[in-house]
Amino acid sequence: SITSGLAPIPLAVAHPCDVESLRGPLQAAEAGLVVPVLIGPEAKIRAVAESEGFDLRDVRIMDVPHSHAAAELAVKMARCGEVEALMKGSLHTDELMSAVVAKEGGLRTSRRISHVFLADVPTYPHPLLITDAAINIEPTLDDKVDIIQNAIELAHMLSIAEPKVAILAAVETVSSKMRSTLDAAALCKMADRGQIKGGLLDGPLAFDNAVSLVAAKTKGIRSAVAGQADILVVPDLESGNMVAKQLEYLADAVLAGVVLGARVPIVLTSRADTAEARAASCAIAQLMAHKKREALRG
């Protein structure tokens, strides 16, 4: 495992008031990934734990009246260094993220905040990072620069030295009628000029050419990225959401989700996600927190 030998990190869980969002951090704690602090209406959290037989004896609970207050307190704890990562419980993504991006008291950095799904797909030989399928709805070209740089830096943390980045569109040729292809062409040139660093970019690539060497060969695409991408950069949130969820529900992929570009990693999974997916996401947050510690020491 990517995190073996690492100490668990303190993690604030905002509003874990249903079974899966409470089981996830508790499983991650059992696995030695995190020390969770549960933030929400204490009576509600305890009622869920009781109905499922979860043991909360050694778990710290911060009692707040509602999900909005839970999001604010979680962010506050991250700001003052009490926790090294955040996790979304059973509240809406918007509610947590509005506290994260608040101008006063939020967790913004100079980098744009973006989301990555790390997919373990049984039919693909190595992990696949998909970005951004959860936060940036219709990213501009400048947004995509940060989205890609965030994903490349996560890939480096996962020991992928030079990640292969496929910038997806519906076709592999540049067309003035399709903005995604123009963005892809511009992003590749930006990488050539050092405006995006640390990865190998190619695009536009259709999904099949990004993940299948046979498809890329058939289309006559000569590229170091085609057919073996590590990172899939989607044109917009809707297409990314569909790609990720299709892999999860039709290809038995396990998806871990994490938000990058904030002061701390934020575990952001879908409300329908299993506890296993949440625990896998905690492992990524743990790795990121330890890399940050190293950087501060170094």
Side-chain angles (χ1 to χ4, degrees):
S1 142
I2 49 169
T3 60
S4 52
L6 297 180
I9 59 159
L11 167 92
V13 189
H15 202 72
C17 293
D18 68 10
V19 175
E20 292 301 324
S21 67
L22 184 54
R23 185 186 319 212
L26 294 178
Q27 274 190 359
E30 263 175 52
L33 304 172
V34 299
V35 177
V37 180
L38 310 178
I39 307 174
E42 185 166 355
K44 239 184 195 176
I45 294 170
R46 289 198 181 279
V48 173
E50 202 154 304
S51 71
E52 294 296 317
F54 297 154
D55 180 4
L56 296 181
R57 258 180 318 198
D58 301 324
V59 183
R60 186 173 164 205
I61 299 175
M62 310 281 280
D63 185 24
V64 296
H66 44 64
S67 55
H68 189 72
E72 284 186 354
L73 181 55
V75 166
K76 195 174 171 186
M77 288 178 78
R79 262 188 86 83
C80 67
E82 257 191 275
V83 296
E84 290 181 76
L86 298 187
M87 184 176 197
K88 183 185 111 166
S90 58
L91 75 177
H92 279 281
T93 297
D94 292 356
E95 208 171 350
L96 179 60
M97 292 312 296
S98 63
V100 169
V101 302
K103 286 207 163 56
E104 293 295 315
L107 297 171
R108 276 183 177 278
T109 63
S110 58
R111 185 77 62 78
R112 186 165 188 88
I113 287 175
S114 63
H115 182 275
V116 168
F117 274 121
L118 180 64
D120 178 10
V121 191
T123 50
Y124 198 64
H126 53 80
L128 200 51
L129 281 69
I130 302 160
T131 192
D132 177 335
I135 288 181
N136 293 283
I137 298 173
E138 286 191 36
T140 63
L141 180 65
D142 290 338
D143 295 340
K144 286 176 184 176
V145 172
D146 278 358
I147 287 169
I148 292 170
Q149 197 66 62
N150 283 344
I152 288 172
E153 285 171 19
L154 176 59
H156 290 165
M157 290 180 204
L158 297 167
S159 303
I160 305 168
E162 192 181 38
K164 298 179 171 72
V165 182
I167 302 156
L168 298 185
V171 293
E172 52 286 326
T173 50
V174 179
S175 161
S176 60
K177 293 188 181 75
M178 293 176 75
R179 196 194 113 200
S180 57
T181 68
L182 293 172
D183 281 1
L187 290 161
C188 291
K189 186 47 71 179
M190 290 166 96
D192 290 347
R193 295 285 184 269
Q195 289 167 274
I196 300 169
K197 295 181 172 72
L200 201 59
L201 275 67
D202 196 11
L205 287 170
F207 182 83
D208 55 345
N209 309 318
V211 297
S212 161
L213 282 165
V214 174
K217 214 172 186 175
T218 308
K219 289 268 173 73
I221 299 166
R222 297 224 298 270
S223 153
V225 174
Q228 46 195 351
D230 298 301
I231 298 172
L232 301 178
V233 180
V234 297
D236 55 33
L237 182 142
E238 286 175 310
S239 55
N241 194 289
M242 289 174 204
V243 166
K245 288 189 173 155
Q246 280 166 358
L247 290 174
E248 184 176 18
Y249 286 92
L250 297 178
D252 291 333
V254 175
L255 295 186
V258 66
V259 174
L260 313 170
R263 283 186 181 194
V264 299
I266 301 162
V267 174
L268 195 64
T269 49
S270 157
R271 281 196 304 280
D273 274 344
T274 61
E276 283 72 23
R278 291 169 200 268
S281 304
C282 287
I284 299 172
Q286 182 196 22
L287 182 72
M288 289 173 68
H290 278 276
K291 294 284 184 189
K292 186 180 172 185
R293 284 184 199 177
E294 276 171 33
L296 290 172
R297 279 201 304 266

